[in-house]
Amino acid sequence: MHSVAIVFHSVTGTTRSLAQSIATGVRAEQIEALELEIFGADIQHGRYENTRLLDQIERADAVIFGSPTFMGSVTAQFKSFADASSERWTELRWADKFAAGFTIGSNYSGDQLSTIQYLGVLAAQHGMLWAGLDIAGGYDESGRNRLGAQSGLIACTTDAVVHPVDLQTAQYLGARVARLVKKYHSAG
Ligand SMILES: Cc1cc2nc3c(=O)[nH]c(=O)nc-3n(C[C@H](O)[C@H](O)[C@H](O)COP(=O)(O)O)c2cc1C
């Protein structure tokens, strides 16, 4: 069965809520969703040591990376995971998988784009195929992609509760990546 891995770090749970909605969207397309959370406890002496999680990514057909925006970028814990992925990079073990990204911040324009761009660079380093968010900001009937980011899902919370429209957008992103996986494999 084809699968999409959702790899994320979350401290207060808002990024986790987005990850769960993404997983719902993936499953709605009859594709397996693997919710893989990055935990600070897996970092020993500054190094991310959870090789099982890295192996699970290797078996997935697509990876959706997520991190809260902290000081204009991914969290230190997410970066530690990304640095550990360099062991897979040398042999380009994640190449040709689809990739996408999501983030949340407490400001409407709190430099979340910088986080998405970092995730895109990480995917490019691995030879992955980046999928942006194909909902024209401001033109969706149900208001999804309310912050108008096309390169990935950008969410904003002002009260530590994820906006329901951001959750809907997350669900859409999961479904989109799952559909791309199906299309890619049916093309043979
Ligand atoms: C150390 C720190 C740095 C932060 N930096 C930013 C930032 O640069 N831009 C922003 O919009 N929000 C920033 N925030 C707010 C978080 O992104 C926001 O609370 C987010 O919802 C946390 O995600 P989580 O619930 O998954 O942990 C920061 C929060 C912390 C604790």
Side-chain angles (χ1 to χ4, degrees):
M1 187 183 186
H2 295 304
S3 64
V4 175
I6 302 141
V7 186
F8 66 96
H9 178 238
S10 183
V11 179
T12 60
T14 58
T15 310
R16 187 180 303 114
S17 297
L18 290 168
Q20 288 165 348
S21 288
I22 290 171
T24 301
V26 170
R27 291 178 189 127
E29 293 291 331
Q30 288 77 50
I31 294 279
E32 186 183 2
L34 306 169
E35 293 172 59
L36 306 180
E37 185 162 352
I38 294 162
F39 293 107
D42 286 335
I43 300 166
Q44 316 268 317
H45 306 292
R47 190 173 167 73
Y48 185 78
E49 301 282 8
N50 188 342
T51 50
R52 184 167 178 269
L53 184 142
L54 296 165
D55 289 342
Q56 284 176 294
I57 292 177
E58 205 162 307
R59 289 194 292 274
D61 298 284
V63 188
I64 307 180
F65 297 108
S67 169
T69 293
F70 273 20
M71 299 309 289
S73 188
V74 293
T75 61
Q77 291 87 340
F78 186 95
K79 186 61 167 68
S80 168
F81 149 78
D83 291 354
S85 77
S86 65
E87 285 175 10
R88 318 284 159 141
W89 162 80
T90 44
E91 294 175 1
L92 287 174
R93 307 266 284 259
W94 297 354
D96 296 347
K97 296 179 191 298
F98 285 106
F102 63 105
T103 189
I104 188 164
S106 55
N107 293 289
Y108 285 102
S109 187
D111 295 319
Q112 290 98 320
L113 181 59
S114 171
T115 304
I116 294 291
Q117 286 172 337
Y118 169 72
L119 297 175
V121 169
L122 174 65
Q125 290 214 336
H126 281 287
M128 302 170 93
L129 310 168
W130 189 255
L133 184 58
D134 61 336
I135 299 176
Y139 286 88
D140 184 64
E141 277 182 7
S142 48
R144 294 171 303 177
N145 192 13
R146 69 189 177 103
L147 299 186
Q150 307 295 159
S151 44
L153 165 58
I154 289 182
C156 170
T157 173
T158 50
D159 55 5
V161 175
V162 185
H163 194 290
V165 169
D166 289 342
L167 293 175
Q168 281 175 35
T169 312
Q171 200 167 325
Y172 176 84
L173 182 66
R176 164 168 165 74
V177 172
R179 281 196 296 271
L180 285 171
V181 166
K182 288 198 282 194
K183 206 169 175 179
Y184 186 78
H185 287 280
S186 69

